[in-house]
Amino acid sequence: MTLVRRVARPLLAAIFVAGGIDQFKHPAAKAKTAGPLLAKVGPRAGLPDDPELLIRANGMAMVGAGALLATGHLPRVASSVLAVTLVPTTVAAHAFWKEQDPEVRERQKVQFLKNLGLLGGLLLAAVDTEGKPGLAYRAHLASDSAHRAVRTTRREARHAARAAARETKLKAVQAQHALS
């Protein structure tokens, strides 16, 4: 792991670990904020009708994924989980477009944009293969390799069939000369 990754991952993860612990310990305030969004999305997503439980679960996901990202274990999965937890948090908690007070609107807008920046960092971490080819590239290579193997096998089979045909003709000619 490069020095940049070793430093950047814990820095990115820190806010999620701290926020997740806070959500787990104090879900009531967050549940009130998330209530309208959970009321809309929850039934369709098959989520339980307990906002505090969902906030605590979100908090634990943030702590777990944040710890994994910070330590460099499963960083692509961890950052993907954090990105998924960040989207509803951002929409529910920082809906600046709904605010009437200009100062509150501006504060919420800054928090919204900060979360978008965090989301961008998480998306970069989610696709970071540390210089190694990703799964899609490796699958493409495997597919190319399989296609090459099929073409090579066909070509070798054609050569073997032609060689067998030549050998058969040669044996037939030799057999005819032996009879004459």
Side-chain angles (χ1 to χ4, degrees):
M1 182 181 338
T2 66
L3 178 62
V4 171
R5 285 182 183 91
R6 197 175 299 260
V7 172
R9 286 177 178 161
L11 291 175
L12 182 57
I15 194 165
F16 294 100
V17 172
I21 290 170
D22 183 57
Q23 282 187 17
F24 186 75
K25 286 183 174 180
H26 313 290
K30 306 273 193 255
K32 189 187 298 184
T33 304
L37 179 64
L38 290 174
K40 285 182 188 175
V41 177
R44 284 187 261 164
L47 297 174
D49 189 26
D50 184 356
E52 287 192 21
L53 173 70
L54 295 172
I55 296 299
R56 280 195 165 107
N58 189 61
M60 289 312 300
M62 289 169 64
V63 170
L68 286 172
L69 180 61
T71 59
H73 292 89
L74 301 171
R76 296 176 72 191
V77 173
S79 55
S80 297
V81 169
L82 290 172
V84 168
T85 67
L86 185 61
V87 171
T89 300
T90 302
V91 172
H94 304 299
F96 68 90
W97 53 89
K98 292 181 179 178
E99 296 296 335
Q100 300 300 319
D101 182 2
E103 285 183 29
V104 174
R105 178 187 292 256
E106 189 59 32
R107 276 196 309 267
Q108 290 295 3
K109 186 171 151 185
V110 167
Q111 291 301 313
F112 183 86
L113 293 172
K114 176 210 42 135
N115 282 9
L116 287 184
L118 286 170
L119 181 61
L122 291 169
L123 293 175
L124 284 173
V127 299
D128 180 24
T129 61
E130 298 185 33
K132 299 173 193 156
L135 290 177
Y137 180 78
R138 286 184 278 180
H140 178 70
L141 282 182
S143 173
D144 282 353
S145 178
H147 284 95
R148 267 188 255 112
V150 167
R151 283 195 308 265
T152 301
T153 303
R154 283 184 190 152
R155 186 173 51 247
E156 289 173 355
R158 281 194 308 268
H159 289 301
R162 286 183 196 137
R166 282 193 303 267
E167 188 69 30
T168 303
K169 282 183 186 178
L170 183 60
K171 295 279 185 191
V173 169
Q174 288 173 347
Q176 225 175 17
H177 285 304
L179 292 175
S180 352

